[in-house]
Amino acid sequence: MEAGPRDREQQARNDLSRLSPDGPDESGDLLPDGSVPDASVEVEVELRPPRRLRIWQLAPIVGLAAVGSLMFAFPLAFGSGDGGAVVAMLGLLISCCAAGWGMMAARRVGHTWPGLPERSSGERPDWRVIALYVAVAAALVALAVWRVARLR
């Protein structure tokens, strides 16, 4: 979104106030109390790259999820005999295991669910977000069990 004309004028005034006749002001290097920082002060910088899920972590999770979802979907779609409900419930179980495995791997790397705070932030999660996740999961489980029960 583009800034309006007033925003540009205000930004230009702010930029000009930081400049001295011979260039940028050195006040940007001052500490909050007005003193000059010591040159011997060390600054810690994170040198490690950010942690990511690797292919060897993702491959078994994706494989289990695919096998489980196929085991769940085919008996439901084609109604294959008396054992269809058992195969469908086994596929649902394998799919849920793969989802849990994927969530734990993502949490270990540092990813969080939308609406929930980061792991080491010290913040408490909002109960409404947790209630929404629980309600959606309960609805999905209820629909899956209801569909498998209708196979009989």
Side-chain angles (χ1 to χ4, degrees), residues 56-110:
W56 60 268
Q57 291 170 312
L58 287 174
I61 296 169
V62 171
L64 268 181
V67 167
S69 63
L70 288 174
M71 286 176 67
F72 181 65
F74 273 100
L76 297 179
F78 302 115
S80 57
D82 292 336
V86 174
V87 173
M89 287 306 287
L90 183 60
L92 181 63
L93 177 67
I94 292 173
S95 296
C96 290
C97 288
W101 191 3
M103 285 189 296
M104 292 307 294
R107 181 178 169 93
R108 196 164 222 193
V109 170

Side-chain angles (χ1 to χ4, degrees), residues 6-87:
R6 281 186 256 152
D7 293 338
R8 287 189 198 135
E9 291 170 9
Q10 184 178 9
Q11 185 180 10
R13 271 188 268 128
N14 289 342
D15 287 344
L16 289 177
S17 65
R18 286 188 322 121
L19 295 177
S20 64
D22 60 343
D25 237 352
E26 298 301 322
S27 62
D29 295 337
L30 295 179
L31 296 175
D33 60 355
S35 63
V36 179
D38 205 5
S40 64
V41 175
E42 295 180 14
V43 177
E44 291 186 29
V45 178
E46 185 67 39
L47 297 177
R48 291 180 290 177
R51 292 170 46 173
R52 297 182 316 196
L53 286 172
R54 306 280 184 222
I55 189 68
W56 60 268
Q57 291 170 312
L58 287 174
I61 296 169
V62 171
L64 268 181
V67 167
S69 63
L70 288 174
M71 286 176 67
F72 181 65
F74 273 100
L76 297 179
F78 302 115
S80 57
D82 292 336
V86 174
V87 173

Side-chain angles (χ1 to χ4, degrees), residues 127-141:
W127 66 270
R128 292 173 291 216
V129 174
I130 293 174
L132 177 68
Y133 283 133
V134 168
V136 168
L140 290 175
V141 168

